[in-house]
Amino acid sequence: MPASPAPADPGRDDDLAWPDRDPMTAAERQASLDRLCEQDEGYREDEADEYGDVEPFTAEELAEIRHAAADELLAVEAATTGRRGPGQPGSARVFPGESASPAASFGPGMVLDVLPGCPQLAVAADAAAGEDGGFAGVSEAELVGVVCGWDRVEAHAHARKLAAVAELARRNPGELDAEFTADQVAYALGESRARAGSLIGMAQALQHKYTVRLDNEAIAEIHTVGDILAFVLNQMA
């Protein structure tokens, strides 16, 4: 079939998808624009009265805003450096700034932030809450340091507890004595017999099977309860 040239203006040809003219007349377009202008409130004269009475921030208010913003930035920066505690990357350096809060020594890299778990750390962490116990004036970075401090105190206490349990088991080496020791621990702690047996087993594993004594030096190396479990699992691997 020979090809015929396309007409210059094919027209609408009853196909609404290809109109050959603007479907809206000039009058209709102007009416639509007028309706949009009517819906737009534009600038209201009473806006100046509505927002004109707002007083600017005082120097004290601006200082509080800057302090809060700096606290937030410090908390974010400290949180992204890693785990906190003795020898940990999150406590490897001291961040700039000053703090007079009761938890200032728990800031990143400060003396209590890198102190191993001990009774003195527990006393300091308890005092960090302030007189009302509400942590007033304590920054988020310092508050995280207090949390980590209590975690090390918990690990220290758990290690001491295991040392005492291991000594109790050592004094009762016989099979019948061992059963009595498990019952004794279960009754004293209000735990089940199985839980008491697991506790004694962990204590003996640390002190006897792997020839590790829970003395002061060894306990100082334990910063979290997870460190105790990790040590046992590494020795069993």
Side-chain angles (χ1 to χ4, degrees):
M1 179 179 179
S4 59
D9 185 9
R12 298 185 59 178
D13 197 20
D14 295 332
D15 187 357
L16 297 180
W18 299 94
D20 62 347
R21 66 178 184 275
D22 193 339
M24 182 180 292
T25 64
E28 292 173 341
R29 183 182 302 105
Q30 185 60 42
S32 176
L33 294 175
D34 292 341
R35 286 194 297 271
L36 291 176
C37 291
E38 292 175 358
Q39 295 174 2
D40 185 12
E41 296 181 358
Y43 175 77
R44 296 182 300 157
E45 295 182 356
D46 58 344
E47 283 186 354
D49 297 335
E50 182 178 353
Y51 300 104
D53 295 337
V54 178
E55 299 181 358
F57 289 112
T58 64
E60 293 77 9
E61 291 173 336
L62 289 174
E64 291 180 0
I65 294 174
R66 293 191 188 97
H67 179 73
D71 179 29
E72 292 290 340
L73 292 175
L74 176 59
V76 171
E77 187 174 2
T80 56
T81 54
R83 179 180 171 182
R84 299 271 293 271
Q88 301 301 325
S91 302
R93 65 187 181 95
V94 179
F95 290 87
E98 297 181 358
S99 175
S101 77
S105 296
F106 283 94
M110 299 299 286
V111 59
L112 295 180
D113 190 43
V114 296
L115 183 67
C118 60
Q120 292 78 9
L121 182 61
V123 174
D126 187 62
E131 295 182 357
D132 60 350
F135 294 98
V138 177
S139 68
E140 289 189 13
E142 294 167 349
L143 196 57
V144 171
V146 173
V147 172
C148 294
W150 278 119
D151 191 54
R152 296 195 299 278
V153 169
E154 180 184 8
H156 173 85
H158 193 67
R160 289 292 193 188
K161 176 182 176 181
L162 289 175
V165 171
E167 175 60 20
L168 185 63
R170 187 192 66 81
R171 296 184 181 185
N172 299 279
E175 182 177 353
L176 295 178
D177 292 337
E179 293 182 2
F180 172 76
T181 301
D183 291 334
Q184 188 178 13
V185 172
Y187 282 123
L189 296 180
E191 297 282 1
S192 65
R193 178 67 162 67
R195 172 69 181 130
S198 299
L199 186 66
I200 295 173
M202 179 180 294
Q204 290 177 321
L206 284 172
Q207 191 170 38
H208 296 292
K209 186 174 181 180
Y210 304 112
T211 64
V212 175
R213 294 189 66 247
L214 290 178
D215 53 18
N216 291 332
E217 182 178 356
I219 290 175
E221 297 298 324
I222 298 175
H223 303 312
T224 66
V225 176
D227 291 340
I228 300 174
L229 300 177
F231 174 80
V232 174
L233 292 176
N234 289 336
Q235 294 293 328
M236 295 176 64

